[in-house]
Amino acid sequence: MGRNEQESVGRRPLKAGSASGVTNLAGSGRRPRLETERICLYRPEHAGDWTYCHHPHLGRFKGRWYAMWSNAPAHEDDAGQRVMIAASDDFRTWSPPRPLVDSMPGKHAPAVLTAAGFHEHGETLVAYFGKYEYEPDQLENGSRKPGDRGHTGTGLYAMVTSDGVEWRGPIDLRLPLVPNHGPQRTTSGRLILSGNVLFPFTDDPAGLSGWRLAGICPETADETVRDDSEAIHIWKKSAGWPVLLCEGSFYQTKDGVLHMLLRSNTERLWVTRSEDDGESWSAPKPTDFTDNASKFHFGRLPDGRYYYVGCPDPEPRWIRNPLVLSLSGDGAVFDRHYVLGDDRYAIRYPGMCKGGDYGYPHTRFEDGYLHVIYSAGKESIYVLRTAVDHKEG
């Protein structure tokens, strides 16, 4: 999709910004293990099962819980990857997973679909998914080749329901990205999607129209701009960044500033900030918040504290263990840490790019509990919850 097909903002010169000031004081103090309740939503039991699962998200709608994730026959982001969904009334007993969006045909092979989160508004629940396909020279026997090249037709789509059973769509949102998390509200009510370098926003409370592009993409971006797992390498080179920036998650502090933390595939997260409700973003800078080269999720508790859920230990690299909850009173210093899980996961079936014990967590706080969904080995999907309302402030 060309940039001339929708309004674009955030292409003004990036502000220099100040020192990042965000830290998790890794390695300091105790990290007690929290008592958690954990449930497996999906685990392949046979070699013929679809054995790749990743990109999980949680939603809550009309008193029910919903979980969605990406699901492929064997390999990460392979042709034919689909989006699965399951539901629960009590977070303990879940419906059998089923395709929310089954494999979709492309020009040369089935498309790649990626779960991208939920948004609840009034009487509707929206489920988002990204879509692209591979150029023919990146396919072999109908499957993707090693590497992550040749993406085409990148876009974001939505499915909508009023009862959680019957869904309509897909609706083309005319956004050239596969986001990291679903829409998140700012204090003004604006919705922002956390992508890699694009952070689109809309003032439509339904999250289905009026999306405008913003983010940290360089001024040199042309009309073919897109944001997916291949494009991040293009943006790194174009911007001259020393690291590969991707997979953002943001929170808003009391002064109204938005803080978008970014994975850098190094031992530290980076950050970019917005002081105008997401219309422009500062030049990204490194932080003192440690990371295991993985996706993470930030949020805010009802008592005003900020939280992070992710894998902050840089080593052993790529192991994505332990899964940690970190709390902050000011949104800058995250100095209270709790272990949510540190069990190892043994991968049952081989697949391209599989691994990691606690992959790509997404969170939701409800009724005094922090609820978390994550992938294990990029193969199984788990949810857990822990009471946090009594934690020391």
Side-chain angles (χ1 to χ4, degrees):
M1 187 195 78
R3 290 293 289 270
N4 60 340
E5 293 186 48
Q6 72 177 72
E7 184 178 358
S8 173
V9 299
R11 296 291 301 282
R12 65 195 70 176
L14 295 170
K15 295 176 287 185
S18 58
S20 73
V22 183
T23 178
N24 62 345
L25 299 174
S28 63
R30 299 183 308 112
R31 291 201 306 195
R33 181 177 180 131
L34 297 182
E35 181 178 346
T36 63
E37 181 181 12
R38 186 172 65 170
I39 301 99
C40 181
L41 302 192
Y42 183 100
R43 180 175 57 209
E45 300 292 346
H46 307 284
D49 294 345
W50 289 49
T51 58
Y52 170 86
C53 293
H54 206 33
H55 317 115
H57 301 269
L58 282 176
R60 187 95 184 271
F61 179 62
K62 295 185 176 180
R64 299 200 82 198
W65 287 97
Y66 293 86
M68 67 186 301
W69 61 91
S70 307
N71 183 222
H75 306 306
E76 179 170 87
D77 297 342
D78 202 358
Q81 183 167 287
R82 60 188 181 178
V83 176
M84 302 292 283
I85 191 168
S88 174
D89 291 320
D90 59 8
F91 207 75
R92 289 189 176 95
T93 302
W94 290 78
S95 64
R98 65 177 181 85
L100 171 64
V101 187
D102 215 335
S103 300
M104 298 175 63
K107 292 182 179 179
H108 310 288
V112 181
L113 309 184
T114 303
F118 294 102
H119 173 62
E120 309 91 42
H121 172 67
E123 294 298 307
T124 61
L125 174 66
V126 183
Y128 299 86
F129 68 94
K131 174 179 174 287
Y132 61 87
E133 59 181 283
Y134 293 107
E135 296 284 3
D137 63 351
Q138 295 302 316
L139 296 166
E140 187 172 19
N141 298 321
S143 189
R144 60 169 284 193
K145 293 181 179 179
D148 195 11
R149 295 179 293 274
H151 294 195
T152 183
T154 299
L156 182 64
Y157 296 79
M159 302 291 291
V160 181
T161 184
S162 60
D163 60 8
V165 178
E166 299 295 328
W167 295 80
R168 63 179 177 89
I171 301 168
D172 186 351
L173 300 184
R174 304 179 69 81
L175 285 173
L177 84 158
V178 178
N180 189 44
H181 292 299
Q184 181 178 333
R185 291 186 184 91
T186 67
T187 54
S188 71
R190 173 168 285 177
L191 300 177
I192 297 178
L193 285 164
S194 301
N196 299 301
V197 299
L198 293 178
F199 315 133
F201 67 88
T202 182
D203 295 314
D204 169 24
L208 293 172
S209 65
W211 288 101
R212 293 185 282 169
L213 292 181
I216 56 173
C217 54
E219 286 293 295
T220 55
D222 60 22
E223 295 301 310
T224 62
V225 62
R226 59 184 167 88
D227 188 358
D228 59 26
S229 56
E230 178 190 27
I232 57 177
H233 299 274
I234 300 172
W235 291 121
K236 176 181 181 292
K237 182 178 180 180
S238 177
W241 295 322
V243 295
L244 187 72
L245 298 177
C246 61
E247 295 177 353
S249 177
F250 80 91
Y251 57 92
Q252 186 172 22
T253 44
K254 297 176 183 178
D255 56 6
V257 176
L258 307 179
H259 307 257
M260 182 76 73
L261 278 294
L262 298 164
R263 171 180 169 181
S264 70
N265 270 5
T266 70
E267 63 179 15
R268 296 289 187 275
L269 300 180
W270 281 48
V271 67
T272 174
R273 294 185 171 91
S274 175
E275 299 179 357
D276 53 14
D277 212 19
E279 296 194 21
S280 64
W281 295 84
S282 66
K285 290 180 175 293
T287 73
D288 287 322
F289 203 113
T290 58
D291 181 52
N292 193 248
S294 183
K295 181 173 171 175
F296 48 86
H297 196 218
F298 281 91
R300 198 167 185 187
L301 300 175
D303 63 11
R305 287 177 295 171
Y306 306 88
Y307 71 83
Y308 152 96
V309 172
C311 301
D313 292 1
E315 300 293 339
R317 190 166 174 80
W318 305 111
I319 194 173
R320 296 174 177 173
N321 193 330
L323 183 67
V324 172
L325 164 67
S326 298
L327 299 175
S328 170
D330 60 5
V333 178
F334 290 76
D335 57 358
R336 298 181 184 276
H337 312 291
Y338 305 90
V339 174
L340 295 172
D342 56 8
D343 295 338
R344 298 305 313 274
Y345 180 84
I347 295 175
R348 296 181 169 200
Y349 305 103
M352 192 182 301
C353 302
K354 291 177 69 172
D357 296 332
Y358 294 91
Y360 283 39
H362 180 260
T363 69
R364 176 116 183 190
F365 185 87
E366 295 279 350
D367 305 323
Y369 286 84
L370 180 69
H371 302 76
V372 184
I373 188 170
Y374 65 93
S375 69
K378 299 187 185 180
E379 181 176 271
S380 298
I381 299 294
Y382 287 87
V383 292
L384 64 79
R385 64 180 174 183
T386 185
V388 297
D389 55 341
H390 66 279
K391 297 296 177 289
E392 183 180 356

